[in-house]
Amino acid sequence: MLKKERYHHFVEYFSKNQPDAVTELHYNSPYQLLVAVILSAQCTDKRINQVTPALFERFPDAESLAASSAEEIFPYIRSVSYPNNKAKHLAGMGKILVEQFNSVVPSSIDQLQKMPGVGRKTANVIASVVYDAPAMAVDTHVFRVANRIGLTNNARTPLAVEKELVKYLPNEVLSIAHHWLILHGRYICVARTPKCEICPLTWFCRYYERTHTETALLKAEADKARKAKEAAKKKKLNVIAKELKKRSVSNTNTSLE
């Protein structure tokens, strides 16, 4: 199947079945989304949504965050990943947001990346979600799913994936396509064992084509049989080892008598 066909089927399916896909992070302003996305790096949205209500109550705007320190922020985010670094990032981000951008979250990718904790992925999220810009944020889910489906060809870096997706996806769906890929990767095309049996995209998915051919299925069955044989052998060895240990103890007790 040609790449353009895959993109067409991808957009067609999700446009029909998930036309209103949005981020699962909870926020009420661009400032809150920026904070939440910074915190979400290598952490689950569920955890971030548990942390941010108290954080936003204490630091409701850029000014209050700018007036704080990493030490003040840390207790509110101690349960997220890398809390020390993220506390420093938020404190620094607040100051730059106030001093350089008059407390207004910028729309420019380059300007956004001037703030601590804001890499290209975070900047793309803000640009696409807040300003509906034709930007594609590539996280681990987007990276994995795009490669598996076949939207990208051997793209080995997030930037390479981003460039291919931006090139082939229509501008009008770029921002929502980010959410399509994330949600699909989070709930169906999971990292270790993708749920191909319930996936609606298998008929044009390159990963499914590769792993569900007759040869691949035979190999999977052979691997399964080999593992079962190894497990049975290990079980037998454990039984023998226990019996030998029991006899050894018995012999020791007899000699002591």
Side-chain angles (χ1 to χ4, degrees):
M1 183 181 292
L2 296 176
K3 181 182 286 190
K4 287 185 178 181
E5 291 179 293
R6 290 186 199 275
Y7 272 91
H8 171 76
H9 296 315
F10 170 79
V11 172
E12 184 179 52
Y13 172 81
F14 284 105
S15 295
K16 180 180 179 180
N17 293 280
Q18 290 187 24
D20 302 313
V22 294
T23 179
E24 292 186 315
L25 290 170
H26 298 166
Y27 70 97
N28 292 313
S29 68
Y31 157 76
Q32 288 190 356
L33 180 61
L34 179 57
V35 170
V37 178
I38 290 174
L39 290 176
S40 71
Q42 298 183 21
C43 196
T44 65
D45 287 0
K46 182 179 180 181
R47 169 60 60 185
I48 303 308
N49 290 336
Q50 292 172 343
V51 165
T52 49
L55 180 69
F56 292 149
E57 184 177 357
R58 172 63 181 82
F59 307 105
D61 49 37
E63 289 78 11
S64 57
L65 192 65
S68 70
S69 65
E71 290 71 25
E72 292 177 86
I73 296 169
F74 178 84
Y76 294 91
I77 65 169
R78 65 168 65 247
S79 63
V80 309
S81 60
Y82 307 108
N84 286 304
N85 285 339
K86 289 178 180 178
K88 294 175 184 177
H89 289 160
L90 290 182
M93 181 274 286
K95 290 177 174 58
I96 291 178
L97 192 56
V98 170
E99 295 169 3
Q100 297 188 25
F101 301 110
N102 298 315
S103 302
V104 177
V105 175
S107 60
S108 163
I109 301 294
D110 290 336
Q111 288 183 324
L112 283 163
Q113 290 185 89
K114 290 180 180 179
M115 292 183 282
V118 181
R120 188 171 183 85
K121 186 210 78 174
T122 299
N124 277 327
V125 170
I126 300 303
S128 63
V129 174
V130 176
Y131 298 104
D132 200 27
M136 172 55 67
V138 178
D139 67 357
T140 56
H141 296 302
V142 174
F143 185 89
R144 179 177 68 255
V145 175
N147 275 302
R148 279 184 177 169
I149 292 176
L151 300 182
T152 56
N153 292 326
N154 298 317
R156 300 184 183 279
T157 65
L159 183 58
V161 170
E162 177 188 333
K163 286 181 177 180
E164 281 201 56
L165 293 174
V166 169
K167 178 180 178 180
Y168 288 98
L169 282 168
N171 277 354
E172 61 270 21
V173 303
L174 262 176
S175 57
I176 194 171
H178 162 72
H179 301 304
W180 290 340
L181 289 162
I182 284 181
L183 295 174
H184 192 68
R186 187 171 289 163
Y187 298 110
I188 295 180
C189 195
V190 294
R192 292 189 178 179
T193 309
K195 303 174 183 178
C196 296
E197 67 279 5
I198 63 170
C199 179
L201 311 182
T202 53
W203 66 278
F204 67 85
C205 174
R206 191 169 59 194
Y207 174 85
Y208 188 83
E209 290 174 0
R210 186 174 68 251
T211 58
H212 287 71
T213 61
E214 185 176 355
T215 301
L217 291 173
L218 288 172
K219 183 178 182 299
E221 286 297 322
D223 287 342
K224 184 178 179 181
R226 176 180 55 78
K227 289 178 181 178
K229 187 175 180 180
E230 289 175 353
K233 182 179 179 181
K234 186 176 180 181
K235 185 177 180 180
K236 287 182 180 179
L237 290 174
N238 286 336
V239 171
I240 293 172
K242 288 180 180 178
E243 182 62 29
L244 290 174
K245 185 177 181 182
K246 188 188 301 182
R247 292 181 182 180
S248 175
V249 171
S250 177
N251 291 335
T252 300
N253 290 335
T254 301
S255 63
L256 288 173
E257 293 173 358

